[in-house]
Amino acid sequence: MEHMKSDNVKKGMQQAPHRSLFNALGFTEEEMKKPMVGIVSSYNEIVPGHMNLDKIVNAVKLGVAEAGGVPVVFPAIAVCDGIAMGHIGMKYSLVTRDLIADSTECMALAHQFDALVMVPNCDKNVPGLLMAAARINVPTVFVSGGPMLAGHVKGQKRSLSSMFEAVGSHAAGTMTEEDVREFEQKACPTCGSCSGMYTANSMNCLTEALGMGLGGNGTIPAVYSERIKLAKHAGMAVMDMYNKNICPRDIMTKEAILNALTVDMALGCSTNSMLHLPAIAHEVGFDFDISFANTISEKTPNLCHLAPAGPTYMEDLNEAGGVYAVMKELADIGLLNTECITVTGKTVAENIKNSVNRDTEVIRTVDNPYSKTGGLAVLKGNLAPDGSVVKRSAVVEEMMVHEGPARVFDCEEDAIEAIKGGKIVSGDVVVIRYEGPKGGPGMREMLNPTSAIAGMGLGSSVALITDGRFSGASRGASIGHVSPEAAVGGPIALVREGDIIKIDIPNMKLNIDISEEEMAARKAEWKPREPKVTTGYLRRYAAQVTSGDKGAVMKLPEN
């Protein structure tokens, strides 16, 4: 076998000390001659999407060994956004993406692995490992832990978003404590990433669309034995990639990233994909402008309305044919670059050619879409000169164009208190600022306020605008990633209580109804705030992070 990367730590007289350490690990002479494959395990016992990853990892190890490699496991961290939601913990969610990328890069290059299998599942864990894969650039396959099955409450399928909304309904007096408790016991019935098209499942589906995961990676439920088979095949696939020398940068090209954005539009993915796709693109040297979303959205039909936008769940998408069936619909009308190479060693066209749409209600056909335009929109205007993001597929028709008075809050907690205290009324535009990547720091998700608005029955009459971000479980006129953010003096910092805000989603506009002169006068008076966090990792993060429209990537310190 030609020179392996791992020969740098295994072969030659200089490496005798290294071999003694492999001896300490129990490596055999036979194993020392084979490619060393790092299995990046995100297993932990605090994230429901990760508690089953030990089984996935074991299956990957079998696949790698069967195909002639030596599997070696090392860990990656992950945060459960649901458990971190609505308190200081949420400041620590997005920031883990870059920690995951950095730590995996360190482990893979320090030990000179020949190939990698990434085993992620939840929100930041998937993009963090995709970023690492692009940096390390050795043959790499992804296999996630799979989605949770939907819960069943009072004869209806339910999920985590209905759980958060139940709390709002209780505050509004329309749901009893006993009802909330029933939801609590039944909404999240199995291990896996939460069962709607939230961020974790969005990113796992987009991993398939990018070509970095095998078919089924995004949709086969966590508790299905088919997921174990998929993991074994991922182990075999990485060895095939190793033998053919196919690497992540061969797969994650500009064309593949635009394919992923197109599939995102059809699936109706989380707004967080508009933070993660630019960050992944950044790692491969592709300057991803979030306005691409509007260009692609104009021609891409929205084919799926999974929770929270509609009544279907990941298990339904899986039964309907999964991501490949959605891609086939799009490819048939020329919306995908089907020549892109993938982890199967085949092109997108070869992968999807036999895919069948088995349920045209779960995956609408291109001539009968939920809407002719995609699931996401980027809005610009004098309130968001560099852009903002809305999941328009989860916005009710009457909120597509809306204007109302600003109700201004400088942190999420103050907004929740006002919403639950009945102080927000029909027509209001709730503005939550100083929650961006720098200002938060860490750009918290706003699932609690959006769920409270929905639960209070205000989902079709109140909008929410923030320089923070939203959970994939948020629905309604929830506009996030407003850039520039308040902490750097963006226009969102200059909004005053009662200002009229104009939202026009069809025309991609977000404006505050004041003159340029008034805006300039307010800007002249504005003073930066003291940082909310002055120690530890968040302080370093706030100093280095870029704005939401740039993917909140870390920039190098300026000399």
Side-chain angles (χ1 to χ4, degrees), residues 37-51:
V37 182
I39 318 293
V40 185
S41 169
S42 307
Y43 170 76
N44 64 47
E45 293 183 342
I46 189 62
V47 184
H50 291 233
M51 63 182 280

Side-chain angles (χ1 to χ4, degrees), residues 388-462:
S388 61
V389 183
V390 64
K391 184 173 182 171
R392 69 169 158 201
S393 57
V395 179
V396 294
E397 189 57 42
E398 52 265 46
M399 289 301 287
M400 285 292 188
V401 177
H402 178 77
E403 63 178 77
R407 305 298 306 280
V408 184
F409 303 95
D410 286 352
C411 68
E412 179 190 10
E413 288 82 358
D414 292 353
I416 292 169
E417 195 179 324
I419 296 162
K420 291 198 173 158
K423 295 189 176 127
I424 301 302
V425 297
S426 178
D428 283 350
V429 178
V430 176
V431 176
I432 306 179
R433 60 191 182 188
Y434 294 100
E435 288 285 7
K438 276 185 185 298
M443 204 178 188
R444 287 194 289 183
E445 284 188 344
M446 303 289 165
L447 180 55
N448 276 342
T450 59
S451 301
I453 286 168
M456 299 279 283
L458 296 169
S460 57
S461 61
V462 168

Side-chain angles (χ1 to χ4, degrees), residues 333-389:
I333 56 167
L335 291 180
L336 293 183
N337 184 318
T338 57
E339 295 309 302
C340 294
I341 196 75
T342 70
V343 291
T344 62
K346 297 174 182 167
T347 62
V348 168
E350 291 172 296
N351 287 345
I352 66 175
K353 70 172 185 284
N354 298 322
S355 295
V356 177
N357 182 351
R358 298 193 193 92
D359 188 333
T360 54
E361 225 6 74
V362 176
I363 305 170
R364 292 271 185 99
T365 56
V366 288
D367 51 10
N368 179 38
Y370 281 102
S371 69
K372 290 192 169 72
T373 50
L376 297 178
V378 171
L379 314 183
K380 289 190 174 181
N382 68 354
L383 186 51
D386 294 339
S388 61
V389 183

